[in-house]
Amino acid sequence: MILLTNIYKDALIAGIQVKEANLTVSDAFKDEMTALLDKGNKYIIVNFEGVIYVDSSFLGALVSSLKYALANQAEIVVAGLNKDVAGLFQLIRLDKAFKIYPSVTEAAERKS
């Protein structure tokens, strides 16, 4: 299990439970996100708080999850990116695809 989930206000928080989000966990992450969306969750905050490294395969799984969410009238936002991961999101322009919040609390408060 890659994600630890809980509810805060009207948002589902999906906390990533690994320090390195890479190829070895990307398929499991995508499957778990799909399952969460299939259960009818419409606003999911992916919490990267404990993640220190992200590779392209994991980012691909995240983007794939976003596409699935949009097809199901749902929204995925990210929160808790460290400096390096935030820089990567900016470098490959994922900051244009995802709303990024400094914390889970702020993401839950700004739910659209």
Side-chain angles (χ1 to χ4, degrees):
M1 190 165 190
I2 304 305
L3 299 173
L4 178 63
T5 61
N6 63 321
I7 302 291
Y8 179 75
K9 299 207 175 203
D10 291 335
L12 176 77
I13 301 165
I16 300 171
Q17 297 300 295
V18 295
K19 290 186 185 290
E20 294 188 10
N22 56 31
L23 178 63
T24 60
V25 297
S26 61
D27 284 339
F29 171 79
K30 184 177 167 185
D31 292 343
E32 290 180 34
M33 288 295 291
T34 300
L36 293 173
L37 291 161
D38 286 343
K39 289 180 183 174
N41 293 292
K42 295 297 183 191
Y43 187 74
I44 299 175
I45 302 167
V46 179
N47 186 4
F48 278 80
E49 228 170 61
V51 177
I52 59 172
Y53 172 79
V54 178
D55 77 359
S56 61
S57 61
F58 191 87
L59 292 175
L62 183 63
V63 170
S64 179
S65 297
L66 178 64
K67 288 180 182 179
Y68 190 78
L70 294 173
N72 288 282
Q73 291 79 45
E75 185 176 7
I76 295 174
V77 301
V78 297
L81 300 177
N82 71 25
K83 183 180 174 186
D84 293 334
V85 175
L88 179 60
F89 268 65
Q90 289 176 336
L91 179 67
I92 61 176
R93 299 195 181 271
L94 282 182
D95 59 331
K96 306 296 184 211
F98 290 93
K99 290 180 185 173
I100 300 172
Y101 296 96
S103 70
V104 167
T105 305
E106 287 185 56
E109 296 293 331
R110 296 186 183 166
K111 179 179 179 253
S112 51

